Amino acid sequence: MKIWNRVFLMNPGRQGEASAALTAAHEAINGMSDYGYNLWETVVGTQGEYGASALVPDIDAFDTGEPMHPDADLEAMGPLAAAVNDCVEGRPEDSFWDVSHTVGDWSEAPAFVTNVIHRAPLAQMGSLTAAAIGIADQLHGVTNTPIIVCTSVMGTGPSVRLILGWDSLGRWSEGTARGMADPGFQERVAGAAALPGVTLLAESNVMRRLV
């Protein structure tokens, strides 16, 4: 299984407009396809940054547009796409992530997610992925939050990513503090940090789900 991501950088001075335009476009695409996109807005991190995501069981079908319904009104997407493009500040960035490990209940998309991305030399990807899985299992045991561990190389550079799901910002704040204070978590992070060339927490943010 893969996760597809697209990162949008929108004009931060038009964030309300951008949120509305992106929401309308993604709701319309979901209504005429089986892509099942989620749309995310950064609340802790770079303002004006949005993310779209989808699970990808078949990358060829995803790429060729097979999930689009036969009766999809693609012309109706024109004005919606134009409204999105009018707020765009930079080029969107796409990536695919291979799911290595999941823990907890992911039957529904959470209201908030934390994205934590670690970088590694290519030779250390296996070791860092194993360490990240240990960290995810430890955090889940302490916080009961669902966590995905996934990896990517092409377009992102060798990266290991943890995605943590939360019901609310309050749960994120409380769970993060409790998890980081846990001695088992600290021990596992220390082991990952000791891997040669690894940069932990190279990127991180908290995002709210809009769609």
Side-chain angles (χ1 to χ4, degrees):
M1 179 71 74
K2 295 181 184 290
I3 297 173
W4 171 85
N5 271 164
R6 172 169 291 171
V7 176
F8 301 88
L9 288 176
M10 313 298 278
N11 186 329
R14 303 173 65 186
Q15 195 151 340
E17 200 178 335
S19 295
L22 285 164
T23 298
H26 284 81
E27 287 180 342
I29 294 174
N30 283 346
M32 61 179 73
S33 76
D34 296 322
Y35 278 108
Y37 290 118
N38 290 126
L39 176 67
W40 307 90
E41 174 186 33
T42 299
V43 292
V44 179
T46 302
Q47 295 306 294
E49 183 179 74
Y50 295 77
S53 64
L55 290 175
V56 184
D58 184 334
I59 195 169
D60 285 329
F62 183 90
D63 179 59
T64 58
E66 187 177 314
M68 294 300 297
H69 297 164
D71 59 350
D73 183 5
L74 298 181
E75 289 188 5
M77 285 300 304
L80 299 176
V84 170
N85 291 337
D86 189 50
C87 297
V88 169
E89 185 119 299
R91 292 184 179 182
E93 179 181 316
D94 289 5
S95 58
F96 284 99
W97 297 80
D98 292 301
V99 176
S100 301
H101 183 69
T102 64
V103 61
D105 182 9
W106 285 98
S107 58
E108 295 184 6
F112 294 83
V113 292
T114 304
N115 290 289
V116 179
I117 297 177
H118 308 307
R119 307 281 189 212
L122 193 57
Q124 293 291 346
M125 280 291 287
S127 297
L128 181 57
T129 301
I133 289 172
I135 290 170
D137 288 344
Q138 181 70 21
L139 275 177
H140 176 70
V142 174
T143 67
N144 200 38
T145 195
I147 305 175
I148 294 172
V149 179
C150 50
T151 63
S152 181
V153 176
M154 302 306 295
T156 60
S159 303
V160 178
R161 174 183 178 192
L162 281 78
I163 306 171
L164 297 82
W166 307 98
D167 295 334
S168 67
L169 274 180
R171 279 279 295 121
W172 159 73
S173 178
E174 185 272 333
T176 300
R178 182 150 43 95
M180 293 182 70
D182 176 68
F185 168 78
Q186 294 175 3
E187 180 182 348
R188 284 162 175 76
V189 168
L195 294 171
V198 164
T199 302
L200 298 185
L201 284 169
E203 295 180 39
S204 63
N205 66 14
V206 180
M207 305 188 90
R208 172 192 292 116
R209 182 168 59 86
L210 300 181
V211 175

